[in-house]
Amino acid sequence: MSLLRSNDFRPPLLSNMNSEETLVEGGRVDANAVFTFSRDDMRRTTISLRGYGPYYSVDSDMGYSRTKISRYGESVPLAVSETRGILPDKITFAGQERQRLRSWLKFSTLTLFPVTFEVDGKTYIWRSTADGKLSLHTSSSADSSIAWFTASQAVINNGTTITQVAHLTLRPEAIEIQDVAIISFLILEHKSRISSPPPQGSDGGQYIYYF
């Protein structure tokens, strides 16, 4: 199975996990998959499916120039992303040739966002709001998000300050391209952070730890 058309999210888990639910037209309830981050660091973290457990692992070398994104517990990465300074960034998907990142992710000319990519002939768009929140859309429904990121944030509960972990929510349309959505998000969220400061009130940063 090619990564760029992967859909290895297993539907039976939806009935067991602590997912969000959204009421849609006709009274049908769709379950949203919520992925949480052990560390708010897009290049070194464990990503867990809420209600299920660890699902992806993200690890980088000491210089943070080479990042591996893998299924949790598996040795062969789904993708390897390379940040190369003034040289073009590269990405290598499992079973595919190394390529320029811009060959896969189509960046805007003057700004970082929007960023588009294609899966099976369908175009997807990552957008960033004025306060730096990323959301994923389809070209046919650009006003509706199919995935969105919530950065870690400090909240006060009964006089105690706690940190709500960062999480990425995927609607069913994004679950269909789950691996691609996760990989593209990790790359773009990191790029967004190094190009602009974190949103006001957010604990999100390049090296934020929860444990």
Side-chain angles (χ1 to χ4, degrees), residues 23 32 36 57 59 61-62 68 71 96-97 123 129 161:
L23 185 65
N32 296 338
T36 61
S57 60
D59 195 23
D61 59 14
M62 292 299 294
K68 296 179 180 180
R71 287 285 170 74
Q96 299 185 22
E97 295 292 327
T123 300
T129 62
T161 300

Side-chain angles (χ1 to χ4, degrees), residues 15-31:
S15 61
N16 299 323
M17 71 184 185
N18 180 21
S19 61
E20 296 180 352
E21 292 184 340
T22 303
L23 185 65
V24 297
E25 186 177 355
R28 179 170 57 88
V29 175
D30 281 341

Side-chain angles (χ1 to χ4, degrees), residues 136-200:
L136 182 63
H137 308 255
T138 63
S139 58
S140 60
S141 184
D143 294 333
S144 300
S145 304
I146 64 171
W148 57 92
F149 179 61
T150 304
S152 59
Q153 56 184 327
V155 297
I156 298 177
N157 184 17
N158 295 327
T160 302
T161 300
I162 61 175
T163 298
Q164 291 185 343
V165 299
H167 57 278
L168 180 66
T169 304
L170 271 60
R171 286 184 49 78
E173 299 93 327
I175 293 172
E176 293 178 359
I177 58 163
Q178 178 182 306
D179 287 342
V180 185
I182 294 288
I183 293 167
S184 59
F185 165 76
L186 289 167
I187 293 170
L188 295 175
E189 174 66 13
H190 173 69
K191 286 186 174 294
S192 177
R193 291 184 182 193
I194 62 176
S195 64
S196 60
Q200 184 176 2

Side-chain angles (χ1 to χ4, degrees), residues 10-148:
R10 295 162 179 78
L13 293 177
L14 287 171
S15 61
N16 299 323
M17 71 184 185
N18 180 21
S19 61
E20 296 180 352
E21 292 184 340
T22 303
L23 185 65
V24 297
E25 186 177 355
R28 179 170 57 88
V29 175
D30 281 341
N32 296 338
V34 180
F35 289 91
T36 61
F37 294 75
S38 64
R39 310 191 323 177
D40 203 341
D41 177 352
M42 298 301 113
R43 295 192 295 179
R44 187 170 289 163
T45 189
T46 297
I47 304 174
S48 296
L49 176 61
R50 184 176 291 173
Y52 175 74
Y55 212 94
Y56 297 96
S57 60
V58 185
D59 195 23
S60 295
D61 59 14
M62 292 299 294
Y64 277 79
S65 61
R66 182 180 173 88
T67 301
K68 296 179 180 180
I69 304 164
S70 310
R71 287 285 170 74
Y72 187 80
E74 295 186 4
S75 58
V76 178
L78 293 170
V80 178
S81 173
E82 299 173 66
T83 302
R84 306 172 71 229
I86 62 173
L87 298 175
D89 291 348
K90 299 280 189 175
I91 189 164
T92 307
F93 293 110
Q96 299 185 22
E97 295 292 327
R98 184 170 178 246
Q99 61 178 301
R100 286 193 178 193
L101 182 64
R102 287 180 177 269
S103 297
W104 172 47
L105 297 177
K106 309 300 182 183
F107 292 88
S108 302
T109 303
L110 299 177
T111 60
L112 179 57
F113 295 97
V115 177
T116 64
F117 62 89
E118 290 189 2
V119 180
D120 292 337
K122 188 174 183 178
T123 300
Y124 296 85
I125 308 164
W126 278 108
R127 300 185 184 279
S128 178
T129 62
D131 56 358
K133 295 179 180 178
L134 268 60
S135 59
L136 182 63
H137 308 255
T138 63
S139 58
S140 60
S141 184
D143 294 333
S144 300
S145 304
I146 64 171
W148 57 92

